[in-house]
Amino acid sequence: MASLSLILLLSLAFSLSLVFATDPSTLQDFCVTMLGTSVCKDPKLVEANDFFFSGLHLAGNTTNPAGSKVTPVFAAQLPGLNTLGISLARIDIAPWGVNPPHSHPRATEILTVVEGTLEVGFITSNPENRHFTKILQKGDVFVFPIGLIHYQRNIGYGNVVAIAALSSQNPGAITISNAVFGATPEISSEVLTKAFQLDRTVINYLQSKF
């Protein structure tokens, strides 16, 4: 009897772990969050503006070292997305700019080019580290699997505009260079020297940049 109880308990724990591995499932029409909280508004107080966002027609400011700007429309910007498991973003990239290598730990991304010529790529996990890359033109679509490192680069002479849809209300973003060289508190230079097989002065320089 005790072994049967243990099996049932483990099965329940496993099923709960599967449930919490994705965005929360909605058990109602919507759960619009109150500003700055995770509490749902009273449905009677919800209005159309809770499901509305304006601004994706505006170009992002790309005057930065990377030459790119991502304008997110996640649950933080659009409360009506809460529990719906989707979001999107506008990506602006200046000529020869990049959206640096990054990953979304909680979402697959599907990207559509609206304007320009865009090189995209992603890398599979260890040990293969296989690099898939493609040149996209206006109207082309590319998908980046959940959690994998990917990037975009404008290889044309005009601005790139792309729209990315993501399979989470809060996909997260880990920019590799920022995370590794700009961590707070910083990662020990001894660790990074061995990991990247670089001289410590190079590592210190990279950390100073981020």
Side-chain angles (χ1 to χ4, degrees):
M1 185 66 179
S3 61
L4 179 60
S5 299
L6 180 60
I7 290 170
L8 289 172
L9 185 61
L10 289 173
S11 298
L12 177 61
F14 180 69
S15 65
L16 287 175
S17 70
L18 290 178
V19 169
F20 290 118
T22 61
D23 280 2
S25 176
T26 178
L27 298 176
Q28 52 201 23
D29 290 344
F30 47 77
C31 172
V32 175
T33 52
M34 297 172 64
L35 188 62
T37 75
S38 58
V39 178
C40 297
K41 273 188 180 181
D42 182 335
K44 297 183 183 66
L45 302 178
V46 171
E47 54 189 46
N49 279 340
D50 292 317
F51 303 95
F52 173 78
F53 176 91
S54 179
L56 286 191
H57 61 294
L58 301 174
N61 183 358
T62 59
T63 57
N64 54 65
S68 66
K69 171 66 176 176
V70 176
T71 304
V73 187
F74 301 162
Q77 291 80 32
L78 181 54
L81 285 176
N82 185 48
T83 74
L84 299 185
I86 57 169
S87 59
L88 60 90
R90 170 177 171 144
I91 304 168
D92 289 274
I93 309 179
W96 306 104
V98 299
N99 188 12
H102 62 282
S103 68
H104 302 295
R106 296 180 289 276
T108 291
E109 173 183 341
I110 185 166
L111 178 143
T112 304
V113 177
V114 178
E115 293 291 344
T117 302
L118 190 65
E119 175 191 351
V120 300
F122 71 85
I123 300 94
T124 64
S125 53
N126 294 341
E128 291 83 6
N129 295 318
R130 189 174 174 194
H131 181 201
F132 291 90
T133 185
K134 186 79 174 171
I135 304 300
L136 306 183
Q137 305 291 342
K138 181 178 179 178
D140 289 345
V141 175
F142 197 83
V143 66
F144 305 102
I146 184 171
L148 297 186
I149 295 171
H150 58 283
Y151 65 90
Q152 298 99 30
R153 178 170 72 124
N154 183 347
I155 59 171
Y157 293 95
N159 292 331
V160 158
V161 179
I163 298 295
L166 301 112
S167 61
S168 171
Q169 69 182 47
N170 182 24
I174 301 171
T175 304
I176 308 308
S177 53
N178 292 1
V180 173
F181 298 109
T184 304
E186 66 183 27
I187 300 172
S188 164
S189 58
E190 286 81 2
V191 172
L192 298 180
T193 297
K194 287 186 180 295
F196 288 94
Q197 297 295 293
L198 294 172
D199 186 86
R200 183 175 295 186
T201 57
V202 177
I203 294 296
N204 291 341
Y205 172 76
L206 289 170
Q207 287 181 315
S208 72
K209 299 295 284 185
F210 292 94

